[in-house]
Amino acid sequence: MLTIQALHKQFQQQEVLQDIDLHVQDGEIVALLGPSGSGKSTLLQCVGGILPPSSGQIFIDDTLINGESGHISYMPQHHCLLPWRTVLQNVLLAQELSGTVNKDEAIEWIERIGLGDYLHAYPHEISGGMKQRISFLRALLSPQSLLCLDEPFSALDEITRHKMHIWLLEMWKKRQKSILFITHQIDEALFLANRIYVLSERPATIKAEIQVPFPKERTKELLETEEFFQARTKLLNLLME
Ligand SMILES: Nc1ncnc2c1ncn2[C@@H]1O[C@H](COP(=O)(O)OP(=O)(O)OP(=O)(O)O)[C@@H](O)[C@H]1O
Ligand SMILES: [Mg+2]
């Protein structure tokens, strides 16, 4: 699905990404963990075609996509809802660009994420966490098969966050998506991902690649198991090294 080879990115004199090799297979969920300022968002912006890499290659299947947008569905770290469009119109944006709009499905999902009363509200009329959920839904409902999500749940309370995890897994299964997402939350990475890449301090290199030792189908009971606690401790120790 996604293959990144020997990716470097620098801004003026500052090297941010150094020799990044990373891949996401079809149907996989992969998490990126790393210190603040290490270069995670820069990496996703390169994949999304918003920033051109300084060197290296990014492929979707066999197509080189360096500097090209539109190949993946990208949710940026800071929401980018269009202020002159309503919640519903914002969710439908990616579908409109691709020419296939499914309004009923969009309304159903907006209701399911608890924002049914805000279908016709404008972004300035809703909270930060609501904007994040709308931005997340827009990415989920867009037609591309790879979703790249930059801290999709950072502004949410614990319960809403967990509900979004379950919805993400449901949508992933139903629509057969592949997902690359950034998070600062160890539990979130372990609960959702099949594999985790840990990035070093800037300039970011891949410090570790971890295969998550749980079955593909996740339920909330997993969070209370001994195996989950053990995996959590191991990952925490690795991050502290
Ligand atoms: N467009 C840009 N021009 C110049 N420098 C930039 C640009 N974008 C990012 N940087 C720099 O690149 C470095 C990495 O930033 P990035 O946003 O990728 O980090 P991050 O790992 O996503 O951090 P966080 O976890 O806080 O979101 C920072 O030093 C930042 O100042
Ligand atoms: Mg970031």
Side-chain angles (χ1 to χ4, degrees):
M1 167 101 288
L2 172 71
T3 310
I4 298 178
Q5 289 173 345
L7 185 74
H8 285 255
K9 178 68 188 171
Q10 68 184 64
F11 296 109
Q12 288 90 35
Q13 295 313 312
Q14 187 188 44
E15 182 146 33
V16 175
L17 300 172
Q18 199 175 57
D19 205 20
I20 301 285
D21 284 313
L22 173 159
H23 67 277
V24 179
Q25 287 168 2
D26 278 347
E28 225 186 354
I29 305 186
V30 175
L32 270 177
L33 275 174
S36 180
S38 56
K40 303 178 299 298
S41 294
T42 303
L43 177 59
L44 238 56
Q45 284 170 27
C46 288
V47 177
I50 290 137
L51 289 172
S54 303
S55 67
Q57 285 94 36
I58 305 171
F59 295 93
I60 291 286
D61 298 323
D62 295 326
T63 310
L64 185 68
I65 61 156
N66 285 29
E68 292 180 13
S69 58
H71 293 278
I72 63 148
S73 166
Y74 167 64
M75 174 185 171
Q77 184 165 3
H78 303 290
H79 82 86
C80 59
L81 301 179
L82 298 176
W84 59 87
R85 285 188 152 234
T86 63
V87 160
L88 177 60
Q89 288 166 342
N90 264 291
V91 170
L92 290 174
L93 186 68
Q95 296 188 359
E96 281 173 19
L97 293 174
S98 75
T100 348
V101 175
N102 190 338
K103 198 168 163 184
D104 291 343
E105 186 193 40
I107 293 174
E108 191 188 318
W109 276 95
I110 293 170
E111 283 167 354
R112 288 192 61 187
I113 63 166
L115 296 177
D117 290 342
Y118 297 90
L119 278 175
H120 306 295
Y122 287 89
H124 74 273
E125 296 170 317
I126 61 177
S127 76
M130 289 174 176
K131 286 184 199 130
Q132 197 176 36
R133 272 182 280 168
I134 292 301
S135 193
F136 167 68
L137 191 57
R138 179 167 70 189
L140 276 188
L141 292 177
S142 66
Q144 293 91 340
S145 45
L146 177 64
L147 308 183
C148 290
L149 311 172
D150 195 342
E151 299 195 35
F153 312 120
S154 58
L156 306 181
D157 65 84
E158 200 62 28
I159 294 173
T160 310
R161 176 188 283 262
H162 185 66
K163 283 186 186 162
M164 301 304 278
H165 292 166
I166 302 293
W167 283 319
L168 176 67
L169 291 175
E170 189 184 327
M171 193 62 115
W172 163 74
K173 208 170 143 190
K174 207 162 146 187
R175 300 194 150 219
Q176 309 195 324
K177 301 278 188 187
S178 309
I179 300 169
L180 175 63
F181 75 102
I182 296 174
T183 180
H184 282 292
Q185 299 257 326
I186 294 178
D187 286 8
E188 186 166 280
L190 283 171
F191 182 65
L192 294 176
N194 309 122
R195 261 181 326 114
I196 301 173
Y197 286 103
V198 179
L199 297 186
S200 67
E201 296 276 354
R202 192 179 63 242
T205 55
I206 304 277
K207 189 168 141 187
E209 180 189 344
I210 296 152
Q211 194 72 42
V212 178
F214 309 131
K216 256 193 156 181
E217 297 276 322
R218 310 280 164 92
T219 58
K220 67 176 181 3
E221 285 71 33
L222 173 66
L223 295 166
E224 283 140 34
T225 62
E226 184 58 32
E227 290 75 20
F228 193 84
F229 280 111
Q230 281 174 8
R232 191 179 191 284
T233 309
K234 215 167 133 187
L235 185 52
L236 189 59
N237 288 338
L238 189 99
L239 286 168
M240 308 257 275
E241 271 173 17

